[in-house]
Amino acid sequence: MKMEEVEKTRALLEELGEKVLIARLDSFVRLNEGLETKKGEDYVKLSILSFLEGLLMTLSMKYPKNRDVKGLYEEVKAKRAELDELFRKPKMQNLGTQA
């Protein structure tokens, strides 16, 4: 599965010299790709976006002045929130009215 956000994050990690995090990212993505047939593509994308969001949040603390980190974090966070809505259960509505 190819995701633009993964590619952008990998490129940013390379730029920052974060080789260990690149290995972690690649490993996490490979692990989740194996779940795609069981859990579904959207579930896997949500899992990967959540991982990226956490990774980028940590990077934003390590590199607080880096605009690329902050911008990509905001982009991933928004996409994750949008996809997360698909998995939220609707709230129960009151079926009757109270007198």
Side-chain angles (χ1 to χ4, degrees), residues 10 13 16 23-24 39 42 44 51 54 56 66 76 78 82:
R10 184 180 290 117
L13 291 172
L16 297 171
R24 297 276 191 269
K39 298 286 187 173
D42 285 337
V44 171
F51 179 81
L56 290 164
N66 189 309
V76 166
E82 181 182 308

Side-chain angles (χ1 to χ4, degrees), residues 32-50:
N32 276 274
E33 284 175 343
L35 298 174
E36 189 174 351
T37 56
K38 288 185 176 190
K39 298 286 187 173
E41 184 178 339
D42 285 337
Y43 181 88
V44 171
K45 283 182 178 179
L46 180 60
S47 176
I48 292 171
L49 287 171
S50 296

Side-chain angles (χ1 to χ4, degrees), residues 19 29 40 56 70 88:
K19 295 181 191 298
V29 169
L56 290 164
K70 191 170 229 87
R88 293 208 183 263

Side-chain angles (χ1 to χ4, degrees), residues 6 9-10 13 21-29 51-52:
V6 171
T9 302
R10 184 180 290 117
L13 291 172
L21 292 179
I22 293 170
R24 297 276 191 269
L25 174 60
D26 291 342
S27 176
F28 187 82
V29 169
F51 179 81
L52 293 177

Side-chain angles (χ1 to χ4, degrees), residues 12-22 24 53-70 73:
L12 183 58
L13 291 172
E14 286 175 5
E15 183 182 308
L16 297 171
E18 297 283 353
K19 295 181 191 298
V20 172
L21 292 179
I22 293 170
R24 297 276 191 269
E53 184 178 357
L55 179 74
L56 290 164
M57 183 186 342
T58 302
L59 285 175
S60 68
M61 289 186 269
K62 186 174 181 179
Y63 303 99
K65 295 182 181 184
N66 189 309
R67 289 183 180 187
D68 293 334
V69 171
K70 191 170 229 87
Y73 168 72

Side-chain angles (χ1 to χ4, degrees), residues 73-90:
Y73 168 72
E74 292 299 327
E75 179 183 328
V76 166
K77 181 179 176 183
K79 279 208 171 179
R80 195 253 337 129
E82 181 182 308
L83 193 55
D84 192 43
E85 287 298 315
L86 294 175
F87 292 94
R88 293 208 183 263
K89 293 182 181 178

